[in-house]
Amino acid sequence: MLDSNLAETDAVVANAIAAEENRQENNLEMIASENHVSEEVLEAQGSVLTNKYAEGYPNSRYYGGCEHMDTIEQAAIDRAKQLYDAEHANVQPHSGTQANMGVYFAVLNPGDKILSLNLNHGGHLSHGHHVNFSGQFYEVEQYGVDPETGYIDYNELESVAHEFDPDLIVSGSSAYPREFDFERISRVAASVDAYHLADIAHITGLVAADIHTNPVGVADFVTGSTHKTIRAGRGGMILTSEEYAETIDKAIFPGGQGGPLMHNIAGKAVGFKEALQPDFTEYAKQTVANAKCLAETLQNRGLSVVSGGTDKHLLLVDLRDSHPDVTGKDAEERLESVGITLNKNTVPGESRSPFVTSGIRIGTPAVTTRGFTESEIKDVANYIADLLDNPDDEELASNISREIDYLTQEYPIYE
Ligand code: DSN
C-alpha cells in the first residue's frame, strides 16, 4: 500500500490536487489570509506525523511513542517564544478560531461579556458573531470605526466599555487595514477590570518581523493563525505569560481539543524557523510596501480605500462611491475570471448581505512570496481598476488574462 501512487489509486483526489496546484501557480492569490508555504513546510505537513496521537504536552503525554513528537512540539514552542518574545506559547490550536476558543474557555464562563470589533468594520466571526459559538455562549457588544476616517473610534470603544462592563475585550480583525492601539485597549480593559485578548491572526508575520507593534506583554493573551503572513504550517497558537500558562494549556487540552495535529505542528516549527531568518524581515517589509502601493494606485484610479490606505498587508476597497452598481460579489467573480483571486467583503456601513457586499478585500502576502514588488503590483492595480471600469469589455478581459499569465510564468511559486 505504501508504495502505491495516489494518481493510480484515487484519481478523483489526485486530479483535484493537481488542478489546485495548477490554479495556485497560474492565478494571483490576493486573498489577504492566504500565502504559499515553502516546500519544507509542505514536506513536514505531508509526513507520517499525521499517524501519531500525542495527547498532552512535551514530556507529559497520555500515549507511548511520543519522544519524536516532543522534539517537534518543543521546537515549535521555543521558536514561537523567540519570535514573539513570549513567556509561554501553546502551538496546539487547530486554527485561529480554536485559539480564541481556548482563551474564552480559560477565563470566561458562559454568559460572560465580550466587547469586540464589529464584523462589518473588519472584525471576525469568532469575536462574538451570533452565528458562531462565541456569540452563542457569551453576551457580546461591539465597537466600530469612525465613519469619516475609517479608523477605530477609541473614544466610542472606551465609552461602550464603561457602559457594558465587559469581562474581556478583543482587539484584532480580519479586514481592518490599520494598526490597533494595543496599549490604549489594555488601559481601557484595566479600567473596567476586563482581560485583553489581542487576536493577531492576520499579522503574525508582520509582528514576527518587528514591523508591526507586538501586543505580547501588553495584552493578557495573544492569539494567531500560523499560515497567513507568517507562512508556517496551518493552524493557530496562543501566546501568554507564565501566569496564565497552565490555565491556557488546560483549556486547549483536555478542555477544547483532543489529539494535537502533529503534522501541522511540525509545519509550524519549520515555518517559524524560516521566519527567524533575516530574509523573512525583508519579505514582511515588501508585503506591506506592496499593499501600500496597491492602495495608492487604486486611489489614483478613483477607487475608495477604507481609511485612505493601509498599515499592513491588506486593504479594503469600498465600491459604493466609484462603482455603485458593482457589488463585491460581481467584482470578485469578474476578477477571478482573469486570474486574480480575492474576496468580496462587507464594508463599514454595509447595507448588502455578506453574500453580496459592497467591497473587496485585497492582500499582498502570497504575491509577495512569489516575488512581486511595487512594479508588478502597480500593473495588477491597474488591471483591477480597468476591469472594474469596463466589466463587460471581453477584449480587455482577455488582454488582462494574458498579462496575468506572463506574470505567473515569470514568478513561479514551486519549481
Ligand atoms: N478566513 C480568515 C480570513 O480570511 O480572514 C479568517 O478566519
Side-chain angles (χ1 to χ4, degrees):
M1 183 190 89
L2 291 175
D3 286 338
S4 58
N5 174 308
L6 189 64
E8 288 163 16
T9 60
D10 190 337
V12 172
V13 173
N15 289 344
I17 292 174
E20 174 60 14
E21 217 174 298
N22 205 34
R23 189 195 69 80
Q24 291 186 19
E25 280 292 349
N26 297 318
N27 284 269
L28 298 185
E29 189 53 73
M30 301 193 83
I31 292 177
S33 48
E34 295 188 12
N35 211 331
H36 305 294
V37 297
S38 68
E39 306 249 19
E40 291 79 0
V41 170
L42 289 181
E43 187 181 339
Q45 291 208 182
S47 66
V48 293
L49 301 180
T50 194
N51 297 335
K52 188 74 191 103
Y53 261 121
E55 278 102 327
Y57 289 99
N59 304 314
S60 173
R61 307 278 187 187
Y62 289 84
Y63 286 63
C66 286
E67 61 270 33
H68 308 303
M69 303 306 106
D70 289 353
T71 305
I72 289 164
E73 186 168 350
Q74 195 57 53
I77 291 169
D78 291 343
R79 291 167 189 175
K81 284 164 67 175
Q82 190 181 345
L83 278 170
Y84 299 100
D85 204 13
E87 288 180 10
H88 183 73
N90 185 308
V91 295
Q92 292 195 4
H94 300 333
S95 72
T97 292
Q98 260 62 55
N100 289 338
M101 190 175 80
V103 174
Y104 302 154
F105 282 4
V107 296
L108 300 179
N109 291 310
D112 279 356
K113 296 178 180 178
I114 296 176
L115 174 61
S116 61
L117 180 63
N118 187 312
L119 187 70
N120 283 349
H121 294 216
H124 189 254
L125 287 174
S126 66
H127 297 171
H129 195 274
H130 65 89
V131 298
N132 183 261
F133 82 94
S134 56
Q136 290 160 10
F137 288 7
Y138 307 106
E139 191 183 333
V140 180
E141 190 55 75
Q142 307 223 279
Y143 57 90
V145 300
D146 178 328
E148 293 302 313
T149 63
Y151 280 74
I152 285 174
D153 183 342
Y154 289 97
N155 293 331
E156 184 217 8
L157 187 159
E158 199 158 349
S159 75
V160 175
H162 284 107
E163 211 170 294
F164 180 59
D165 194 20
D167 299 290
L168 180 136
I169 302 181
V170 184
S171 59
S173 61
S174 63
Y176 176 64
R178 297 297 180 177
E179 284 214 16
F180 275 78
D181 187 341
F182 296 121
E183 301 230 358
R184 183 160 180 188
I185 295 179
S186 272
R187 283 199 299 277
V188 177
S191 73
V192 295
D193 204 17
Y195 293 105
H196 176 192
L197 159 60
D199 178 347
I200 61 165
H202 266 257
I203 52 169
T204 40
L206 311 184
V207 174
D210 279 336
I211 58 163
H212 188 292
T213 312
N214 183 0
V216 171
V218 175
D220 301 296
F221 307 101
V222 177
T223 54
S225 317
T226 50
H227 50 274
K228 294 186 172 107
T229 45
I230 187 77
R231 222 168 45 181
R234 195 166 196 90
M237 66 179 163
I238 304 175
L239 308 165
T240 188
S241 55
E242 276 303 336
E243 183 186 355
Y244 299 115
E246 197 180 330
T247 323
I248 284 294
D249 286 353
K250 281 188 176 154
I252 290 293
F253 176 81
Q257 294 188 170
L261 308 179
M262 290 311 304
H263 54 311
N264 281 0
I265 291 176
K268 292 175 194 181
V270 173
F272 290 163
K273 182 170 181 192
E274 291 169 3
L276 283 163
Q277 310 311 312
D279 62 351
F280 187 81
T281 302
E282 293 316 307
Y283 160 70
K285 280 186 187 158
Q286 189 62 55
T287 299
V288 175
N290 283 349
K292 285 179 189 285
C293 171
L294 184 59
E296 198 182 307
T297 314
L298 290 175
Q299 283 175 307
N300 289 341
R301 291 291 307 266
L303 287 147
S304 171
V305 172
V306 173
S307 84
T310 181
D311 299 330
K312 312 199 248 197
H313 61 297
L314 66 81
L315 50 126
L316 188 57
V317 175
D318 185 340
L319 295 164
R320 289 174 300 187
D321 288 337
S322 58
H323 300 81
D325 299 329
V326 179
T327 66
K329 181 170 184 281
D330 297 332
E332 178 189 302
E333 286 170 0
R334 194 57 178 134
L335 290 163
E336 177 83 44
S337 76
V338 297
I340 300 174
T341 310
L342 44 69
N343 65 285
K344 59 183 170 293
N345 214 98
T346 50
V347 291
E350 182 62 77
S351 54
R352 293 180 170 125
S353 98
F355 296 106
V356 181
T357 81
S358 304
I360 46 175
R361 185 184 67 163
I362 321 180
T364 53
V367 289
T368 307
T369 291
R370 70 191 299 164
F372 281 22
T373 60
E374 286 88 339
S375 141
E376 293 76 28
I377 289 289
K378 269 186 203 148
D379 287 344
V380 173
N382 282 315
Y383 300 149
I384 292 173
D386 287 345
L387 206 58
L388 290 174
D389 287 346
N390 307 284
D392 299 323
D393 187 335
E394 290 306 331
E395 194 184 335
L396 172 75
S398 117
N399 288 341
I400 293 176
S401 191
R402 202 171 46 245
E403 295 300 328
I404 303 285
D405 281 346
Y406 293 144
L407 275 174
T408 55
Q409 279 159 28
E410 198 179 340
Y411 295 95
I413 308 166
Y414 300 111
E415 295 304 328

